[in-house]
Amino acid sequence: MSHTEEAPRRNRRLRRTDASKYLREKWDLSYGPTTLAKLACIGGSPPMEYIGRIPTYPVDGLDTWAAAKISPRVNSTAELRRLQAA
């Protein structure tokens, strides 16, 4: 690899605005930057890493967090309740 080529970014991190866009585009989840900031304060936020004082969200953490927000496919609300109770 020459010095002009970039190495693949294995652990890409996004700032809040970009994390919000990523969740919308990839997962169709609507969490704005202010909602992510609120969740960071009260709990329930996607995993974060700080670069100095700036919170960043690793993409693999966003994917894991978003996947946990989406239920499995069901054919009725009763089926969903059974799954949630298990």
Side-chain angles (χ1 to χ4, degrees):
M1 171 178 350
S2 74
H3 69 282
T4 58
E5 295 179 50
E6 276 190 44
R9 296 173 73 182
R10 285 184 244 167
N11 211 9
R12 189 169 69 132
R13 293 172 189 87
L14 304 174
R15 291 181 73 165
R16 278 202 179 112
T17 300
D18 293 327
S20 174
K21 289 177 189 174
Y22 178 83
L23 290 170
R24 165 74 74 185
E25 290 169 4
K26 181 166 183 188
W27 294 95
D28 200 27
L29 293 175
S30 186
Y31 288 87
T34 55
T35 301
L36 292 175
K38 179 72 171 189
L39 291 173
C41 293
I42 65 171
S45 167
M48 298 177 290
E49 296 174 345
Y50 281 81
I51 298 175
R53 63 179 192 84
I54 299 169
T56 62
Y57 298 86
V59 170
D60 62 344
L62 286 170
D63 289 336
T64 302
W65 183 81
K69 295 287 183 194
I70 300 171
S71 78
R73 290 184 181 182
V74 295
N75 294 312
S76 70
T77 56
E79 185 180 352
L80 179 60
R81 283 193 297 271
R82 280 194 305 272
L83 288 172
Q84 290 172 335

